[in-house]
Amino acid sequence: MSGTGYIYKREPLIFELSAPGRRAYSLPSSDVPACDPAEVLPRDQLRREPAALPEVSEVDVVRHFTRLSQRNHGVDIGFYPLGSCTMKYNPKVNEVVAGLDGFANVHPLTPEDLVQGALQLMYEMQTYLCEIGGVDAVTLQPAAGAHGEFTGVSIIKAYLASKGQGHRNKVIIPDSAHGTNPATAVIAGCETVEVKSDARGGVDIESLRAVADENVACLMLTNPNTLGLFDENIHVIADIVHRAGGLLYYDGANANAIMGYARPGDAGFDVVHFNLHKTFSTPHGGGGPGSGPVGVKKELADFLPVPVVGKDGDRYYLDYSLPKTIGRVKSFYGNFGVVVKAYAYIRSMGPEGLKRVAEDAVLAANYLMRKIARDYHLMYDRICKHEFVASGVWQRDRHGVKTLDIAKRLLDHGFHAPTVYFPLIVPEALMIEPTETESRETLDAFAEAMARIAREAEETPEKVTGAPQTTFVKRLDEARAARQPDLAYRGDLPKE
Amino acid sequence: MSDVSYPKDLKYTKSHEWIRVTGDVGRVGLTHYAQDQLGEIVFVELPEVGRELKQGEVFGVVESVKAVSDCYSPASGKVVRVNERLVDSPELVNSDPHGEGWFFELEISDSGELDNLMDADRYDKYQAEEGAH
Amino acid sequence: MVRSPYLPNTEADRRRMLEEIGLSSVEELFADIPEEVAFKGRMTLPEPLSEMELLAHMKRLAARNASASDWAVFLGGGAYDHFVPSVVGHVLGRSEFYTAYTPYQPEVSQGVLQSIYEYQTMITRLTAMDVSNASMYDGASAMAEAALIACAATRRTKVVTPLTLSPEYRETIRTYLAGQRLQAVEVPYDPTSGQTDLAALEKAVNGDTAAVLLAHPNYFGCLEDPEEVGRLAHAAGAVFVVAVDPISLGLLKPPGEYGADIAVGEGQPLGNPMSFGGPYLGFMAATEKLVRRMPGRIAGATVDQDGDPGFVLTLQTREQHIRREKATSNICSNEALNALAAAVYMSLMGREGLVEVARLCLAKAHYAHERLTALPGFSAPFSAPFFKEFVVKGPDFAAAAKRLAARRILVGPDLGAGYPELRGSFLVAVTEKRTRAEIDSLADGLGGKA
């Protein structure tokens, strides 16, 4: 075990703490007549043996999960420059308001008259997202970005089918796209066609022309793209796809870069998804929950999932009356608790504040890019938006140090690593997104760590390839995890 | 990877499979170059015994921790035997790609097709060019 | 002039940063946005609120919703007012958990990874299945994705969806199937028992059937005969997918013991507040055979360089970020924090506590059933055994709901919307939180007492 002191001790699994008879719950005794399960339930349907859940005390549970939390990096601990993930600060007041009784403890099937506050919030959120995205109607139902993509592409297919264009099943996707885009297209029943990026990192216009034919359903585009570059040809791209009879889908993963400076709807996009857990500051929760509302232009509004929230005079209501709806993508109305936080964020920032968010995010990325470009290769050396992609090819070719090693060494310097090996079109990619909530001093410190690692790669490469050394565990054997999957505890953990 | 010499008794595909023909039966595997590109192999999906494959048809996938690649049959024929050892020890594909790490054997139905494949010298040049990209 | 506590850089900082870049104004950073598409106006959004103003505004909105703290919630239909112990909120408030991303750097994410591994273990033990993933969006989408797995695994195109599945689940499943031109085949329910009509099910299942889906208890709260449904599914070579209420597994036989290939469910009852419909979590567990078709994240145990145990995300080649257009699902973000809540809840309740919760639900639901169906004009349309939720038929639901609102009691939903033939019938869900006094008040209110 690395390090010293109690904090470095391995935290046992909760099951290892278990002792028969110990308990961490208190329940009231029953105040109704006794009811024997064996009498009211079919005997052959009764569980023979209780599930082997832990038997621990409340103190055990609290200490166990507190210690686990200490074995984890989060935005509240330090800089978290994961590219395309927009790890900005998560305002605490938003956590407080989402926990208010009148939001957290409300059943989704409560009669409308008794949830007017919740419906008003959702209605207003739909309105704000329409304004920010330049679209005409919004659904809050999708639970995450990829869920929004599925919703959006399903809407596009249904719309095309209603126009007698049901044969269109090609989805054009740039080679720099997130993996969710091609996966979404196929889940929604389409085929994918990849287009190359040009020398400036944008969509290669000639390649696009060559595939934009009568079978195109849509183009899915992230703009700025995963290279952090705004596609300067966006109006040309929109024109090519629209002329071919296809629609434009905007992947909002990187919308943090353009709020107040460009709206996808104005740029010709027909369908837009928003990642409330990126752009609008809601926490990522260690992988979720997110929220992925979808906005559409007028012609597509009838195809949104139901219900959407409507307003009649002063009364808000759930509107199930969209005749061409694609149906539902989940139960109820979306990740309401996440929507509350994003709503609170928009109300805190206001229109100028959101624009300033985009400015400061882009400023931070360009500032950091200039500093890091001293030691690392930039494949696309131009003004970036909210993130940029550096490459570790110099370190690899000159010193045999890989990007993975650089990422691990950053952990020793107290920083979370950037996204690595993505996008796929940049070798040894380091995708860095600082966000607007980091001070210049933090950016300087990160740049200094990157510079130091570049020197280490040259002078003492084993320090980098042997990293991390200061974390709770050393580099983990991912090949072993995949070759001998151990996905649930059965009494022992893997040993060497 | 230049220190590897590709066995002369194998034939090679552009998609980096090899086949060793003994009588009517061909034994199929993945080349040294391919396993090197993929890195540590963690899973091999093998075809079912009895399955009829066409030359160039996808017969399965090979996975490393962070990559996955389709595998294409170098010849047409019926699968007669698979290398069960790969189920528990997929790393054999890394350690001995042209030997212990073989995938399956098939009864070749059209030996004429084998003329489409590369011999060791040509494959060596081919993979060197691929690697330069 | 923008002043926000979330934006640390001062005007002086911004100037210095611009200098470093070699620009003189921030606007120049946006010069690559073509004139044609640039947004020149000011967004029409409300002016910013200070923290105090925001709190006041949000409290006003929240006050206009009926919360379970002030109302006795007998509402069911997919979300339930179970008790959430204080420790759950305390652990979830640890910002090392909630401000983390998906654990891409395992060495600094052991907390999240170990908690996922523990969650997966608890779900496999609860369901008696071999493997669990790290969570899906909710119960409905988990079942829809299970249907897609079945179609891919069997290379068949039809999915049997009994009408005893929640209407919301069926609508979600239909949306997921629609894209790939897969078909949902509906099967009626037995109007006497409230269970899936097994004779009709047997007829509906054939060589084209990829999966038979079943909810147990079903949408009406009725227990099904999962053993028999599983047998019918397997006889046709179809995958048997069952959705279960995790609390019911304190008493009921787990899916792994009656032949389920995939067990899914709504995890909200496990320590997650109702939150007006989300975020919840869908759990998904399966047999070993299907593990490489499972969607979403999966954590696994391994060792580090020193040979010490540790945890990583594993079998990632299934997922969209590697397999792209060949992935089994497009899911990326899941409901990790809700799964953490479930893991903390299951740790707290433990082996005995979950049984006790289930027994309380069972006893209170049966007491309520007895009281309500004894009321003049009210009856129980279905005869099947039930766990914590059941259907009551009454003369006029809307009028009854109004009377109950005066008593701060919520019940339902009315089944007429999803099942026209059941107009006048409604669901009653009784969790361990409901007291005898509340149940009596529900009966009095329904019965017409002022």
Side-chain angles (χ1 to χ4, degrees):
Chain A
M1 196 56 46
S2 58
T4 54
Y6 77 94
I7 208 164
Y8 284 98
K9 254 184 68 199
R10 179 176 84 84
E11 177 59 21
L13 292 167
I14 189 90
F15 308 100
E16 296 175 80
L17 301 171
S18 188
R22 212 164 267 163
R23 57 153 69 185
Y25 67 94
S26 76
L27 288 164
S29 14
S30 178
D31 56 358
V32 297
C35 175
D36 182 0
E39 274 174 27
V40 297
L41 300 175
R43 264 166 213 249
D44 64 346
Q45 290 211 21
L46 290 180
R47 185 164 198 138
R48 288 187 300 255
E49 187 62 23
L53 297 176
E55 293 179 89
V56 289
S57 70
E58 180 167 325
V59 184
D60 290 333
V61 175
V62 169
R63 285 196 182 141
H64 173 70
F65 286 102
T66 302
R67 284 179 180 157
L68 284 187
S69 76
Q70 291 172 325
R71 284 156 171 73
N72 220 70
H73 188 85
V75 174
D76 281 6
I77 295 172
F79 191 44
Y80 211 135
L82 265 185
S84 264
C85 299
T86 314
M87 297 300 285
K88 61 169 77 178
Y89 171 70
N90 312 122
K92 302 308 154 197
V93 65
N94 298 352
E95 300 300 312
V96 172
V97 297
L100 290 172
D101 233 357
F103 295 134
N105 295 318
V106 178
H107 192 287
L109 300 177
T110 306
E112 286 169 6
D113 288 342
L114 296 173
V115 287
Q116 283 295 299
L119 294 177
Q120 179 183 342
L121 184 149
M122 290 172 71
Y123 181 84
E124 289 178 356
M125 188 65 175
Q126 291 172 184
T127 317
Y128 302 160
L129 292 176
C130 281
E131 174 67 12
I132 294 165
V135 288
D136 300 311
V138 161
T139 170
L140 303 174
Q141 198 174 93
H147 208 206
E149 291 177 31
F150 172 71
T151 305
V153 175
S154 298
I155 288 169
I156 287 171
K157 281 196 70 184
Y159 168 79
L160 289 170
S162 78
K163 298 277 168 196
Q165 298 287 305
H167 64 279
R168 290 180 177 267
N169 73 335
K170 266 167 59 172
V171 174
I172 303 174
I173 296 169
D175 57 6
S176 61
H178 296 119
T180 50
N181 292 174
T184 296
V186 172
I187 301 295
C190 295
E191 286 168 21
T192 60
V193 184
E194 192 170 272
V195 281
K196 283 188 313 219
S197 299
D198 66 15
R200 284 181 60 74
V203 171
D204 186 79
I205 295 294
E206 284 321 304
S207 306
L208 176 64
R209 274 191 224 281
V211 295
D213 60 20
E214 68 287 352
N215 291 318
V216 169
C218 68
L219 165 75
M220 294 181 88
L221 193 68
T222 311
N223 194 26
N225 64 19
T226 60
L227 297 162
L229 304 174
F230 193 90
D231 203 311
E232 303 143 315
N233 295 319
I234 179 58
H235 49 303
V236 181
I237 293 167
D239 193 52
I240 292 171
V241 176
H242 281 153
R243 273 171 198 269
L247 300 186
L248 258 78
Y249 183 93
Y250 181 81
D251 179 330
N254 295 342
N256 204 44
I258 57 164
M259 276 187 293
Y261 276 92
R263 305 193 307 173
D266 299 342
F269 288 96
D270 304 285
V271 181
V272 176
H273 88 248
F274 305 88
N275 296 78
L276 300 189
H277 49 293
K278 296 182 180 178
T279 315
F280 300 101
S281 86
T282 73
H284 292 66
S291 176
V294 169
V296 296
K297 290 288 183 63
K298 252 196 329 281
E299 312 79 69
L300 296 151
D302 284 350
F303 297 86
L304 289 175
V306 285
V308 290
V309 181
K311 189 181 181 190
D312 181 10
D314 288 338
R315 187 178 176 276
Y316 299 91
Y317 65 99
L318 293 165
D319 185 358
Y320 288 88
S321 72
L322 305 182
K324 297 175 181 163
T325 175
I326 59 161
R328 280 188 169 277
V329 294
K330 73 184 287 294
S331 290
F332 309 121
Y333 328 116
N335 281 348
F336 176 77
V338 179
V339 171
V340 172
K341 296 176 196 181
Y343 172 94
Y345 179 73
I346 293 172
R347 296 299 305 255
S348 300
M349 301 309 291
E352 299 292 332
L354 290 180
K355 187 172 176 185
R356 175 70 176 253
V357 163
E359 287 176 2
D360 282 8
V362 172
L363 182 60
N366 279 281
Y367 177 72
L368 197 53
M369 179 170 75
R370 291 283 41 108
K371 294 207 149 195
I372 282 174
R374 292 170 193 156
D375 300 296
Y376 296 86
H377 178 56
L378 286 182
M379 251 176 80
Y380 303 94
D381 192 354
R382 50 179 268 209
I383 292 289
C384 66
K385 288 276 122 358
H386 64 300
E387 67 187 1
F388 63 96
V389 181
S391 164
V393 284
W394 293 346
Q395 285 69 24
R396 181 193 65 190
D397 296 346
R398 294 170 194 170
H399 314 299
V401 168
K402 293 191 205 130
T403 282
L404 184 69
D405 304 318
I406 295 167
K408 297 302 179 195
R409 188 60 180 153
L410 271 169
L411 308 180
D412 283 334
H413 286 287
F415 295 104
H416 196 279
T419 299
V420 290
Y421 298 103
F422 188 84
L424 306 174
I425 56 176
V426 174
E428 301 292 318
L430 286 151
M431 185 194 209
I432 302 171
E433 178 177 12
T435 85
E436 73 281 2
T437 62
E438 299 301 332
S439 68
R440 188 172 55 80
E441 287 83 349
T442 301
L443 303 177
D444 287 346
F446 179 76
E448 174 50 35
M450 287 292 286
R452 205 175 325 150
I453 293 169
R455 281 198 303 278
E456 286 172 349
E458 201 174 326
E459 293 158 9
T460 50
E462 66 285 355
K463 262 195 187 163
V464 187
T465 54
Q469 290 296 327
T470 57
T471 44
F472 289 105
V473 289
K474 301 275 179 64
R475 215 178 278 198
L476 289 151
D477 189 345
E478 298 195 37
R480 172 174 171 149
R483 280 175 184 158
Q484 304 160 42
D486 175 346
L487 313 177
Y489 183 62
R490 293 197 168 83
D492 54 357
L493 285 172
K495 288 186 209 76
E496 198 165 23
Chain B
M1 75 192 81
S2 50
D3 53 345
V4 169
S5 67
Y6 286 91
K8 303 280 185 203
D9 58 333
L10 308 187
K11 296 236 179 197
Y12 301 87
T13 67
K14 284 189 172 172
S15 46
H16 308 287
E17 294 84 13
W18 54 257
I19 185 165
R20 173 182 283 117
V21 182
T22 315
D24 294 342
V25 173
R27 176 176 278 198
V28 176
L30 201 64
T31 68
H32 169 81
Y33 172 83
Q35 68 77 24
D36 188 66
Q37 289 288 306
L38 280 162
E40 291 178 285
I41 307 286
V42 298
F43 176 70
V44 179
E45 183 191 53
L46 297 167
E48 283 165 36
V49 170
R51 180 167 162 198
E52 291 282 352
L53 289 168
K54 291 246 170 350
Q55 187 180 42
E57 184 179 341
V58 175
F59 67 77
V61 296
V62 56
E63 298 182 4
S64 62
V65 173
K66 296 276 165 74
V68 55
S69 179
D70 284 333
C71 298
Y72 303 87
S73 183
S76 303
K78 186 163 94 177
V79 177
V80 292
R81 206 173 138 211
V82 297
N83 186 0
E84 300 284 356
R85 288 182 66 196
L86 295 187
V87 176
D88 289 324
S89 305
E91 61 272 17
L92 290 172
V93 181
N94 294 119
S95 58
D96 191 7
H98 304 133
E100 299 278 293
W102 63 278
F103 283 15
F104 67 92
E105 291 176 347
L106 83 175
E107 267 171 21
I108 297 169
S109 59
D110 179 2
S111 57
E113 283 176 351
L114 299 171
D115 298 341
N116 304 334
L117 305 177
M118 288 178 267
D119 63 19
D121 287 345
R122 263 183 64 204
Y123 180 74
D124 196 14
K125 281 197 197 93
Y126 172 76
Q127 60 89 24
E129 279 167 27
E130 287 268 295
H133 283 306
Chain C
M1 174 71 183
V2 173
R3 288 171 57 194
S4 165
Y6 316 141
L7 299 173
N9 287 314
T10 63
E11 287 306 321
D13 289 322
R14 297 176 102 205
R15 273 195 306 278
R16 283 183 62 176
M17 289 162 79
L18 281 167
E19 265 168 42
E20 174 81 28
I21 304 167
L23 297 179
S24 52
S25 78
V26 168
E27 284 71 30
E28 290 169 60
L29 291 167
F30 295 87
D32 50 359
I33 298 180
E35 194 66 16
E36 294 88 331
V37 304
F39 178 69
K40 295 285 171 39
R42 187 171 186 279
M43 291 187 286
T44 310
L45 295 171
E47 292 308 310
L49 299 175
S50 68
E51 182 170 348
M52 275 190 270
E53 292 163 318
L54 179 72
L55 280 165
H57 172 68
M58 298 302 278
K59 282 178 183 164
R60 271 196 303 276
L61 288 176
R64 298 185 63 204
N65 307 316
S67 107
S69 301
D70 304 321
W71 291 64
V73 178
F74 289 92
L75 287 163
Y80 301 92
D81 183 26
H82 286 285
F83 181 68
V84 180
S86 309
V87 171
V88 177
H90 174 82
V91 170
L92 257 61
R94 295 288 305 193
S95 67
E96 298 92 329
F97 282 131
Y98 80 75
T99 72
Y101 199 74
T102 303
Y104 287 141
Q105 293 292 336
E107 296 85 355
V108 290
S109 310
Q110 285 298 296
V112 164
L113 285 161
Q114 182 170 333
S115 73
I116 296 174
Y117 180 81
E118 292 178 356
Y119 161 84
Q120 288 172 182
T121 304
M122 292 178 202
I123 292 293
T124 58
R125 292 180 177 192
L126 192 64
T127 57
M129 303 296 290
D130 300 327
V131 291
S132 159
N133 74 3
S135 71
M136 308 293 289
Y137 304 135
D138 70 352
S141 59
M143 197 167 216
E145 294 228 20
L148 293 185
I149 296 173
C151 292
T154 58
R155 297 201 182 98
R156 297 179 182 179
T157 57
K158 291 188 176 166
V159 177
V160 171
T161 56
L163 288 173
T164 48
L165 293 181
S166 147
E168 301 215 344
Y169 275 47
R170 282 182 282 126
E171 286 163 24
T172 304
I173 291 160
R174 265 204 300 276
T175 311
Y176 271 78
L177 295 179
Q180 298 175 46
R181 298 209 160 79
L182 304 166
Q183 201 187 328
V185 180
E186 299 206 321
V187 169
Y189 61 90
D190 180 323
T192 315
S193 72
Q195 295 164 314
T196 300
D197 180 337
L198 290 183
L201 182 86
E202 186 166 12
K203 268 189 217 140
V205 177
N206 57 38
D208 294 331
T209 308
V212 176
L213 311 188
L214 185 75
H216 172 63
N218 68 25
Y219 183 64
F220 304 133
C222 299
L223 299 193
E224 295 276 4
D225 183 351
E227 211 122 25
E228 182 57 21
V229 174
R231 213 171 6 248
L232 293 172
H234 291 150
V239 175
F240 178 35
V241 181
V242 63
V244 288
D245 170 358
I247 302 291
S248 77
L249 296 182
L251 287 174
L252 293 180
K253 194 188 262 189
E257 289 180 18
Y258 50 76
D261 300 295
I262 305 175
V264 297
E266 177 52 70
Q268 178 266 329
L270 301 171
N272 283 276
M274 295 182 289
S275 195
F276 202 49
Y280 297 166
L281 70 143
F283 59 85
M284 181 185 279
T287 57
E288 189 88 55
K289 211 175 72 189
L290 289 169
V291 63
R292 283 177 187 278
R293 294 190 185 273
M294 289 271 270
R297 319 271 190 226
I298 298 177
T302 184
V303 293
D304 74 358
Q305 263 170 3
D306 294 343
D308 292 318
F311 304 90
V312 294
L313 291 177
T314 193
L315 305 181
Q316 291 191 65
T317 45
R318 297 166 295 112
E319 292 187 69
Q320 46 76 28
H321 63 285
I322 293 174
R323 230 184 189 94
R324 296 176 78 86
E325 71 277 3
K326 287 180 183 154
T328 50
S329 164
N330 73 340
I331 191 169
C332 181
S333 282
N334 56 17
E335 308 289 309
L337 201 67
N338 305 90
L340 175 64
V344 176
Y345 178 85
M346 287 187 277
S347 302
L348 290 166
M349 301 321 291
R351 180 187 154 97
E352 303 300 333
L354 192 76
V355 178
E356 216 172 303
V357 171
R359 280 174 169 272
L360 283 171
C361 292
L362 184 82
K364 294 183 179 210
H366 281 76
Y367 174 67
H369 186 267
E370 196 181 303
R371 288 284 334 253
L372 302 191
T373 55
L375 295 168
F378 289 82
S379 61
F382 299 136
S383 62
F386 61 94
F387 169 57
K388 72 177 184 198
E389 194 169 16
F390 56 87
V391 178
V392 172
K393 190 170 175 4
D396 183 350
F397 179 74
K402 242 184 218 129
R403 285 199 301 280
L404 291 169
R407 293 169 175 264
R408 299 216 152 201
I409 290 176
L410 297 169
V411 71
D414 181 2
L415 291 174
Y419 304 85
E421 71 281 9
L422 293 178
R423 201 169 298 282
S425 295
F426 57 94
L427 284 172
V428 181
V430 190
T431 69
E432 76 283 6
K433 276 180 75 177
R434 299 287 68 84
T435 62
R436 182 175 190 148
E438 287 170 345
I439 297 169
D440 290 341
S441 180
L442 168 67
D444 291 346
L446 275 179
K449 276 199 198 165

